[in-house]
DNA sequence: TAGTGGTCTAGACCACTGT
DNA sequence: CAGTGGTCTAGACCACTAG
């Protein structure tokens, strides 16, 4: 299937911005000019620019034009976006990530999990505790709960590689969204045992609910790492 | 100035979702029906629905319809969104927030600040250290750097209330965006002195660059709080 | 005043879903 | 098959910015 026109236009404009054909802090051509150049209607150009503006690359001002914004000074290549659905294996590369499965069991949902996953008391839930390693080094301690009915036939070998890969490519399920809470916290016994945390070392934790496009909750999880191993980043574009 | 039609339509649909006129986990009327009801074109309805979908309230699927999604189980009224531009006084209410100004000085930009704020070596920069209190209790230790040329005539009395209020309403400047990094970290001497942190208590820090719609960087800051006083939340809608 | 982006329309074709 | 949302067009009017 061919790409939508507005996507193709957006890709080209993005490329021109990144390659400085449209230099930083200058105006790019107006929407009518771009529409003529690409042979599309102005609405299509506008839709392309809307997307690029949401990414923080440009700023449009009515009556004035469309600016190219500069690079973000504190952004680095290693940043971990707090709004990303790809799992660790996709983010870091499958060859760099390995997983120790510390616990893999099934039980009926507790009251707490019934509320968090929006399921009944008789729904079985996977309880998965994994230590994710980066280049062999302990990196993230991930505690995941998933309803069995949404993710059938989970196996140890899937847990050793990538659950998300299984969900997307085998089960053909699509994530609709996620809600995440980022905490700092004290180390637990598990952090000390598996992340090699000292008794007082700060831990950064992401607690999240993930749901499918159908609205069903597929995951409740916590991901914990040593304070100096990872931060999370958020790009926030103002749209008032 | 009147609200845009698509905004009015979005407001009405949002209201119907929240009041369960369009119940959770059901389909809402199709776009053509809504267009007729509101007396607008289908494109306008679609634009309204696009916005609501980005907020995580609905999910649209081509060929099927538009679902109302359920409430988010781990979301609470106290959550602090990591993507919000309103300062603490707006978030918590001006009457609940007070500020101790610990340091307020001006100096030429250091190398580090020149890079972070994208300014020259001879540009003066405000150095502002404030303890923000909530209901009198120490809450957040905020260290802010702003170029003097963008925020002239800052005074102690402005620092005691709200800098953002001054920037928006007096200087008539608009924020274009922000890039934030969320860290866990060890307490510093300042945290111990002002937040009453113990020597080993985890601290949650947000480091951010804020820029204007013109692309100029107006702020580099860090905001630190005790690990059990505040978390940050992110709503992430998948759009693939 | 001329040029910009924002909004809006009526109608069209498409890919996809369910029955 | 009929119905859904996604895309796209050509043209129009508006509010805003600049010189």
């Amino acid at each position: 299937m061919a790409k939508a026109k507005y996507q193709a236009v957006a890709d080209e404009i993005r490329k021109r911005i990144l390659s400085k054909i449209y230099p930083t802090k200058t105006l790019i051509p107006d929407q009518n000019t771009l529409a003529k150049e690409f042979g599309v209607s102005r609405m299509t150009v506008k839709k392309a620019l809307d997307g690029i503006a949401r990414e923080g690359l440009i700023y449009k001002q009515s009556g004035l034009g469309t600016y190219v914004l500069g690079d973000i000074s504190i952004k680095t290549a290693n940043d971990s976006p707090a709004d990303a659905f790809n799992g660790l294996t996709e983010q870091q590369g499958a060859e760099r990530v390995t997983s120790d499965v510390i616990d893999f069991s099934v039980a009926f949902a507790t009251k707490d999990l019934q509320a968090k996953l929006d399921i009944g008391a008789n729904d079985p839930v996977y309880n998965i505790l994994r230590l994710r390693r980066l280049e062999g080094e302990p990196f993230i301690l991930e505690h995941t709960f998933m309803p069995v009915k949404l993710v059938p036939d989970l196996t140890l070998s899937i847990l050793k590689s990538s659950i998300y890969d299984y969900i997307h490519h085998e089960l053909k399920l699509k994530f609709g969204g996620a809600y995440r809470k980022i905490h700092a916290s004290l180390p637990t016994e598990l952090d000390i045992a598996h992340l090699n945390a000292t008794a007082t070392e700060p831990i950064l934790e992401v607690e999240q609910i993930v749901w499918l496009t159908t609205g069903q909750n597929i995951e409740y999880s916590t991901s914990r790492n040593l304070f100096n191993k990872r931060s999370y980043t958020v790009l926030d574009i103002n749209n008032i």
Side-chain angles (χ1 to χ4, degrees), chain A:
Chain A
M1 87 182 160
K3 208 179 296 188
K5 283 192 192 179
Y6 77 91
Q7 282 291 1
V9 171
D11 288 347
E12 175 60 28
I13 293 173
R14 223 179 268 114
K15 210 167 70 183
R16 292 182 187 179
I17 291 169
L18 297 180
S19 68
K20 308 285 182 189
I21 295 174
Y22 296 152
T24 288
K25 292 174 189 187
T26 61
L27 292 170
I28 71 172
D30 68 275
Q31 296 180 356
N32 277 311
T33 305
L34 290 169
K36 268 179 206 157
E37 185 201 329
F38 290 110
V40 300
S41 75
R42 184 162 79 94
M43 284 289 280
T44 301
V45 169
K46 185 182 178 298
K47 191 164 181 183
L49 294 179
D50 284 347
I52 299 174
R54 265 197 298 278
E55 296 162 13
L57 285 169
I58 58 175
Y59 176 74
K60 292 174 283 147
Q61 187 167 2
S62 187
L64 220 161
T66 301
Y67 279 111
V68 180
L69 295 174
D71 297 328
I72 298 168
S73 49
I74 63 172
K75 185 172 182 174
T76 65
N78 279 335
D79 288 356
S80 301
D83 55 344
F85 281 100
N86 45 355
L88 201 58
T89 46
E90 279 180 71
Q91 268 176 46
Q92 302 285 350
E95 61 294 337
R96 301 179 67 206
V97 178
T98 54
S99 301
D100 301 356
V101 179
I102 298 163
D103 188 14
F104 177 35
S105 55
V106 178
F108 289 127
T110 60
K111 271 250 160 55
D112 183 51
L113 282 173
Q114 289 170 43
K116 281 175 173 144
L117 293 173
D118 192 24
I119 55 178
N122 296 318
D123 284 319
V125 173
Y126 293 117
N127 181 339
I128 303 160
L129 184 61
R130 293 191 296 175
L131 176 66
R132 318 297 305 268
R133 293 173 180 272
L134 189 62
E135 312 262 346
E137 287 298 305
F139 188 47
I140 290 182
L141 190 60
E142 219 177 72
H143 202 166
T144 306
F145 300 90
M146 292 179 156
V148 172
K149 64 179 172 184
L150 290 182
V151 193
D153 304 324
L154 212 49
T155 66
L156 205 59
S157 101
I158 293 168
L159 298 189
K160 287 245 175 199
S161 53
S162 169
I163 301 180
Y164 280 15
D165 198 67
Y166 174 68
I167 289 172
H168 290 140
H169 299 114
E170 295 297 319
L171 301 177
K172 310 279 186 198
L173 297 175
K174 267 199 297 188
F175 291 163
Y179 192 76
R180 308 194 171 94
K181 289 195 191 196
I182 304 174
H183 316 273
S185 93
L186 288 162
T188 63
E189 292 298 323
L190 287 170
D191 298 325
I192 294 169
H194 300 292
L195 291 172
N196 302 330
T198 67
T200 59
E201 192 163 3
I203 301 289
L204 184 63
E205 180 191 270
V206 177
E207 178 187 12
Q208 70 171 352
I209 294 276
V210 183
W211 56 90
L212 301 173
T213 52
T214 58
Q216 296 167 294
N217 290 340
I218 193 173
E219 170 179 335
Y220 170 76
S221 68
T222 57
S223 300
R224 298 168 68 89
N225 62 265
L226 299 184
F227 76 102
N228 54 2
K229 293 278 184 184
R230 194 181 220 212
S231 326
Y232 291 90
T233 58
V234 181
L235 172 64
D236 184 10
I237 303 303
N238 204 3
N239 46 7
I240 295 179

